[in-house]
Amino acid sequence: MKIVRVALDVPVNTLFDYRSDDVHAGDIGRRILVPFGRKTAMGIVVELAAASDVPPDRLKSALRVLRDAPVLSSVDLNLLKFAAAYYHHALGATVMSALPARLRRADALRANSTVSFALTAAGEAVAIDSLPARAPVRRRVLGLLKERRALDQATIRNIAPTALSALKQLIAQGWVTRRETPVRSAQAPIGHVTTRSPRLTSEQSAAVQAIRLHLAEFKPFVLFGVTGSGKTEVYLHAIDGVLRSGRQILLLVPEIALTPQLEATVRNRFPATPLVTLHSGLNERERFERWVAAQAGDARIVLGTRLAVFTPMPQLGLIIVDEEHDASLKQSEGLRYSARDLAVVRARQRKIPIVLGSATPALETYYNAVSGRYQLLTLTQRINVAPPCIECVSTRGQQLVDGLSLQLLEAIAARIERKEQSLVFINRRGFAPVLVCRACGWLSGCHRCSANLVLHLHERRLHCHHCGHQAPIPAACPECGNQDLGPVGHGTQRIEAALRRRFPQARILRIDRDSTRRKLAWPTMRRQIEEREVDILIGTQILAKGHDFVHLNLVGVINADSLLYNTDLRASERLYALLTQVAGRAGRGDTPGEVLIQTEFPNHPLYLALRRRDYASFARSLLEERRQAGFPPFVHQALLRAEAPKIDTALTYLARAARIGRALSRQVTIYDPVPAGMVRLAGRERAQLLAQAESRARLQEFLAAWHAKLSAEPSSPARWSLDVDPLEF
Ligand code: ADP
Ligand code: ZN
Ligand code: ZN
């Protein structure tokens, strides 16, 4: 009898044993159907064993190994096992969360094929008008089929809610037929063509040389290059070398939808090389097909967001993490993993180099570089253009016009005069962050969150940016009935209104999550900016990332101070990174850029460092502060988070968890439970407990024991989870 140990998508950290005569070693990593409770579940074969601890009479038989779908190799499983162990997440749930949804469902795939629908000869001959007018959906489905010849199910479903039943009727009428095509086909033949590249600067070629020297071993590099110093060019040369050796490349970025330029750049440089992108905007079929393409080795380059770190790539030869400091590389729920950290682990497991690129490396990364664990590669020169001139505009005691200083307004006027573009950056969308009653001081709070409802004047509504709750703007104060309610503070909409009043002739474009929500809104806006149909841009951090606008020469920053004296230990590091990115938008053409930061604290060390463009010294001083305060990266942390309808329940639970933890280890410091930074969120109240140790290994040992103890408890009144290396407090 053979025992197969299966990972199932359940939050219990164990593998499940089944009897099976049908499995062999080659099935490890394959999908398997097993009985689970009263249902059939889909799992992944993780191990084979000769015996089981489960008594023979209780051991069930597996139903069937699914050999139709591609398998996870042992190296893929090793990464997932590491992730599950390190983040203390159930292995089954970890494995399943890394698989495309198509593979998680408990049904067989049709022999590596995808299904599409096409017109039959009869269907081609039939005229749309011959369908009754009361069947508009059937007409639309037929019309689109005539236009595109073949459609997949997802596309058809998008036509209308009843489109699939319309499709059935069309099939019954004999006008449409169902077709199956093999999954592996769409990729272009593998070739290696490199289009012309610029001559590397000496700094760039030194970086490329260093990477190319170590293509056959694990070697982490930090590519620390100011904005516009040509980091991408270094990536491309490194990629070129790896492609030539016949290996695959994984390129991770924080947010792909916002950086189509990088994808275009890579595709243009290697036009014959199959590349797939992987991100959350894909439908199920796209994700599955691209995953298969990477796994089959057809896709030579995978460009993706954090989840792509798990993509099986049998010939992986290089990993690059661009903007490695970006917090969105860390997943904030479920398996709370850092894609950057796992990428380093993956590179180590595969014995390949990894390049972490940033203009403002995370302090953890920078520390690894200065302490010699990672090799530091530095690009100090901006290519072709002078760096922007960064200045602070002191707003202390100044009368601002709707949040805008006189200097900034004059600078914008001057740029308009010269037909150049300006960007006003404010990290807050909506009209104003809160509505207040001028009589009693009532604030427009969200009843589900500890946050204010933001005034959105265009929609005439109040929005909670945390839980999505919306409410109409009250006609009078709900507390005292006074009708004099007013906005306080500034958001993008209010700045837009102010600038429209001030520059009635100027063409103004607001770019935030509200204005870019419609599909294709953003590409259209980008084109407008590129074609100089815009004079003033107002934007949130959506605009800060990776866009080159050649006519944009002035950047004004409003409200940066709100992040300056934040209690979050990473606030300064983040503000510096954000401002560097925003400032990097200025002056990409032939004219040097100008950056004006409005602040009440022009002499704050952060602003001084920013003006000198000296992140290295700033990072060293922050590291020194962290060393003295005993903060990461000099200690390692984990947060036990708990939430419940009432905060007391969460705090009481954590107090118990703290006692259990303190009994387990003395080398790990366990602090007292505290309410979370934002206590209420979507109607639940949250608290947290910090555990910290100087040694990562000690902390991990402790967490494993602690997690096991907490999991073994009977159901707890609070929902809890563990966040290892937390970024948000
Ligand atoms: P970063 O990613 O470091 O901000 P980019 O890679 O976007 O910088 O490079 C900035 C600009 O300089 C791009 O337009 C790029 O094409 C160009 N560039 C990069 N390297 C060179 C080079 N060696 N010679 C000329 N232009 C270059
Ligand atoms: Zn009132
Ligand atoms: Zn809310």
Side-chain angles (χ1 to χ4, degrees):
M1 185 185 67
K2 272 191 262 180
I3 302 295
V4 51
R5 317 201 65 204
V6 178
L8 291 173
D9 194 2
V10 289
V12 187
N13 200 11
T14 177
L15 296 174
F16 294 85
D17 290 4
Y18 291 90
R19 192 180 312 187
S20 173
D21 295 322
D22 177 36
V23 290
H24 51 83
D27 290 327
I28 290 179
R30 281 213 166 95
R31 304 194 305 154
I32 188 167
L33 284 174
V34 294
F36 190 71
R38 267 183 260 149
K39 287 191 279 189
T40 299
M42 225 281 302
I44 297 287
V45 178
V46 175
E47 289 165 13
L48 301 186
S52 171
D53 294 339
V54 181
D57 57 318
R58 290 191 37 215
L59 201 60
K60 293 187 190 162
S61 292
L63 301 174
R64 182 153 68 88
V65 178
L66 298 175
R67 300 201 172 86
D68 53 357
V71 298
L72 290 169
S73 68
S74 61
V75 282
D76 301 327
L77 274 174
N78 282 346
L79 180 67
L80 291 163
K81 283 179 185 169
F82 176 90
Y86 186 81
Y87 294 107
H88 303 275
H89 199 70
L91 179 59
T94 303
V95 171
M96 290 301 169
S97 69
L99 290 183
R102 183 70 195 80
L103 288 171
R104 292 198 294 263
R105 283 207 306 266
D107 59 350
L109 299 174
R110 299 181 159 270
N112 278 355
S113 65
T114 58
V115 174
S116 63
F117 298 89
L119 291 177
T120 59
E124 301 218 8
V126 71
I128 295 181
D129 287 342
S130 69
L131 285 174
R134 61 186 159 71
V137 177
R138 234 187 311 157
R139 282 175 166 230
R140 267 156 64 200
V141 175
L142 190 66
L144 200 61
L145 276 164
K146 283 186 180 285
E147 209 176 290
R148 304 227 193 120
R149 311 183 74 102
L151 298 173
D152 62 22
Q153 192 155 331
T155 313
I156 296 175
R157 199 183 305 124
N158 278 340
I159 295 177
T162 56
L164 288 181
S165 60
L167 177 72
K168 272 198 192 130
Q169 293 176 353
L170 291 170
I171 294 174
Q173 283 168 299
W175 293 342
V176 173
T177 177
R178 186 173 189 282
R179 275 200 322 217
E180 285 186 22
T181 33
V183 163
R184 289 184 53 182
S185 62
Q187 296 295 330
I190 296 170
H192 188 77
V193 181
T194 310
T195 56
R196 267 178 68 89
S197 59
R199 254 182 74 104
L200 294 184
T201 64
S202 56
E203 286 180 329
Q204 283 174 319
S205 36
V208 171
Q209 294 285 332
I211 300 166
R212 285 198 171 178
L213 263 180
H214 300 279
L215 289 187
E217 60 188 289
F218 169 58
K219 177 95 183 163
F221 294 95
V222 179
L223 182 60
F224 171 29
V226 299
T227 322
S229 61
K231 291 187 287 297
T232 313
E233 204 48 54
V234 173
Y235 301 154
L236 292 169
H237 277 77
I239 290 173
D240 187 34
V242 176
L243 285 174
R244 277 174 204 282
S245 71
R247 306 186 77 178
Q248 293 172 291
I249 292 98
L250 175 61
L251 176 49
L252 294 176
V253 294
E255 278 163 74
I256 213 160
L258 304 176
T259 51
Q261 282 168 341
L262 181 60
E263 180 186 346
T265 306
V266 181
R267 283 194 196 276
N268 289 341
R269 181 62 57 84
F270 309 109
T273 303
L275 173 152
V276 296
T277 57
L278 281 173
H279 51 88
S280 57
L282 301 178
N283 67 32
E284 202 174 279
R285 187 182 58 102
E286 288 168 326
R287 180 183 285 276
F288 172 61
E289 287 181 1
R290 295 176 189 194
W291 193 87
V292 172
Q295 200 220 29
D298 293 347
R300 308 309 294 171
I301 302 175
V302 172
L303 170 55
T305 46
R306 59 175 183 249
L307 188 63
V309 74
F310 295 111
T311 316
M313 298 175 72
Q315 295 132 22
L316 187 61
L318 171 68
I319 305 177
I320 297 167
V321 184
D322 191 29
E323 307 288 358
E324 63 81 35
H325 63 278
D326 198 295
S328 54
L329 286 165
K330 171 115 200 256
Q331 168 126 323
S332 53
E333 54 202 44
L335 175 66
R336 290 188 157 93
Y337 65 98
S338 154
R340 176 198 61 216
D341 296 349
L342 282 184
V344 174
V345 171
R346 189 171 186 184
R348 189 190 318 126
Q349 290 181 341
R350 303 291 287 263
K351 302 190 178 58
I352 57 170
I354 176 168
V355 180
L356 307 177
S358 177
T360 49
L363 283 193
E364 283 81 358
T365 305
Y366 194 66
Y367 180 61
N368 278 325
V370 294
S371 64
R373 293 180 54 205
Y374 295 0
Q375 184 173 335
L376 186 62
L377 307 170
T378 314
L379 306 178
T380 56
Q381 304 297 323
R382 249 190 156 194
I383 301 210
N384 295 334
V385 292
C389 169
I390 302 177
E391 274 181 55
C392 284
V393 174
S394 172
T395 54
R396 189 167 290 182
Q398 212 192 113
Q399 194 64 40
L400 300 179
V401 185
D402 274 311
L404 298 158
S405 65
L406 206 58
Q407 283 103 309
L408 180 55
L409 288 169
E410 279 169 0
I412 294 173
R415 296 290 164 171
I416 295 178
E417 192 92 328
R418 281 150 64 178
K419 307 233 171 325
E420 294 173 10
Q421 294 173 328
S422 308
L423 160 67
V424 176
F425 177 86
I426 172 162
N427 210 7
R428 206 180 255 157
R429 64 199 167 85
F431 186 82
V434 64
L435 192 66
V436 227
C437 169
R438 299 201 209 282
C440 75
W442 168 84
L443 297 174
S444 58
C446 176
H447 66 292
R448 309 179 67 209
C449 306
S450 16
N452 288 324
L453 293 175
V454 175
L455 176 62
H456 283 243
L457 217 49
H458 288 268
E459 301 99 311
R460 314 215 125 269
R461 290 180 84 75
L462 300 170
H463 289 205
C464 175
H465 287 185
H466 299 278
C467 73
H469 171 70
Q470 294 196 10
I473 299 173
C477 171
E479 293 284 322
C480 74
N482 162 44
Q483 299 194 345
D484 184 17
L485 303 179
V488 169
H490 296 87
T492 47
Q493 293 182 351
R494 192 171 195 180
I495 297 297
E496 180 187 3
L499 288 168
R500 283 193 195 282
R501 274 197 301 277
R502 176 83 183 202
F503 303 107
Q505 313 296 333
R507 297 160 302 174
I508 298 179
L509 185 63
R510 173 170 56 87
I511 301 183
D512 54 25
R513 204 136 39 95
D514 301 313
S515 71
T516 54
R517 193 157 294 166
R518 265 184 317 112
K519 217 175 180 176
L520 297 184
W522 173 228
T524 310
M525 290 177 169
R526 238 191 32 231
R527 191 196 48 77
Q528 286 179 304
I529 302 169
E530 272 155 19
E531 295 181 3
R532 305 175 87 157
E533 292 165 14
V534 178
D535 302 307
I536 308 175
L537 294 163
I538 299 151
T540 54
Q541 69 213 40
I542 291 191
L543 257 193
K545 291 185 184 171
H547 301 290
D548 279 359
F549 296 122
V550 285
H551 309 294
L552 177 61
N553 289 323
L554 170 69
V555 171
V557 180
I558 297 180
N559 233 352
D561 288 349
S562 60
L563 290 165
L564 202 55
Y565 291 103
N566 190 303
T567 51
D568 187 326
L569 84 99
R570 289 181 176 81
S572 319
E573 185 186 344
R574 287 207 182 133
L575 178 59
Y576 196 104
L578 181 64
L579 292 177
T580 301
Q581 265 180 335
V582 179
R585 301 308 115 217
R588 283 236 162 178
D590 346 318
T591 333
E594 176 186 6
V595 179
L596 297 178
I597 300 173
Q598 290 189 180
T599 172
E600 290 200 26
F601 312 97
N603 293 322
H604 189 285
L606 187 148
Y607 293 132
L608 294 178
L610 198 69
R611 270 142 70 185
R612 290 196 312 267
R613 291 183 304 279
D614 188 2
Y615 182 67
S617 310
F618 184 65
R620 278 170 198 271
S621 68
L622 286 184
L623 276 174
E624 193 41 47
E625 281 174 33
R626 297 245 193 121
R627 182 199 301 278
Q628 283 170 14
F631 284 145
F634 301 96
V635 297
H636 301 279
Q637 299 181 327
L639 213 52
L640 184 65
R641 301 177 182 275
E643 57 171 67
K646 286 271 158 279
I647 185 74
D648 286 345
T649 318
L651 286 170
T652 310
Y653 173 74
L654 291 181
R656 257 174 56 73
R659 279 197 300 277
I660 294 173
R662 286 181 188 126
L664 283 171
S665 169
R666 284 172 190 203
Q667 284 159 317
V668 174
T669 310
I670 296 173
Y671 290 85
D672 288 329
V674 289
M678 205 176 127
V679 180
R680 269 172 80 74
L681 178 66
R684 317 253 317 158
E685 300 195 340
R686 299 136 14 110
Q688 60 199 27
L689 174 62
L690 180 66
Q692 172 174 308
E694 272 172 39
S695 143
R696 196 191 289 277
R698 282 292 97 71
L699 180 65
Q700 278 295 326
E701 246 169 57
F702 163 76
L703 291 177
W706 198 32
H707 189 272
K709 271 232 153 51
L710 296 176
S711 306
E713 297 240 305
S715 71
S716 102
R719 198 162 77 200
W720 61 272
S721 60
L722 204 53
D723 186 354
V724 180
D725 304 328
L727 289 183
E728 309 286 341
F729 285 80

